[in-house]
Amino acid sequence: MSPLRQLALQFTKDQEDANDLVQDTLLRAYRYWHKFRPDSNLKAWLFTIMRNTFITCCQQKKRERRVIVSAHSADLANSPLNSIANGAISEDLQEDIWTAVTQLMAMHQEAFLLHLAGYKYFEIARKLAIPIGTVKSRIFIARKELQRRIIR
């Protein structure tokens, strides 16, 4: 039991969680005792069960933390009415950025501005009647060109 508790504590970094992990490990070992081979190493078998149990628990917690957002609430969250201007960018830098955007080739500028306005790639492709790969390419080229012009 002591080596199991030590390993569990290394995994969880919390005494209560470590105790729960040891308990889950022993429960699974009991449940699958028929799969244990008497000529194998019991300690290694239990450590493997513990490691797999810990990984499974972490994956479940990760899935539980995901928030499912309805399309309507996502639209509200992305609405320009709900956005706040970024005061961290100086007016000079904003002017430089806008000047660089206006100097882009028309086809790159159009796709980039639509993307900047919040349109998805497929929406831009439909709106401009071009393939989605072309949209991605134009936006990529626009970004690289803006980086080149602004960073100098």
Side-chain angles (χ1 to χ4, degrees), residues 45-58:
W45 186 66
L46 290 172
F47 281 0
T48 301
I49 292 172
M50 179 175 283
R51 185 193 73 226
N52 292 341
T53 302
F54 177 72
I55 291 170
T56 301
C57 288
C58 287

Side-chain angles (χ1 to χ4, degrees), residues 67-108:
V67 178
I68 300 173
V69 180
S70 69
H72 178 67
S73 60
D75 289 342
L76 289 175
N78 293 327
S79 169
L81 300 173
N82 295 331
S83 64
I84 299 172
N86 183 354
I89 300 177
S90 71
E91 289 183 24
D92 291 338
L93 183 57
Q94 288 179 3
E95 287 177 26
D96 290 346
I97 293 170
W98 188 248
T99 301
V101 168
T102 58
Q103 292 173 354
L104 291 172
M105 291 178 59
M107 62 183 180
H108 297 136

Side-chain angles (χ1 to χ4, degrees), residues 1-9 22 43 47:
M1 288 294 285
S2 181
L4 281 177
R5 281 205 175 99
Q6 288 174 355
L7 182 63
L9 197 54
V22 169
K43 188 175 177 181
F47 281 0

Side-chain angles (χ1 to χ4, degrees), residues 18-29:
N19 289 338
D20 290 343
L21 183 56
V22 169
Q23 186 177 8
D24 289 344
T25 300
L26 293 175
L27 184 64
R28 286 181 188 210

Side-chain angles (χ1 to χ4, degrees), residues 23 33 38 54 69 110 112 146 151:
Q23 186 177 8
W33 184 251
F54 177 72
V69 180
E110 187 177 25
F112 181 76
L146 289 173
I151 295 174

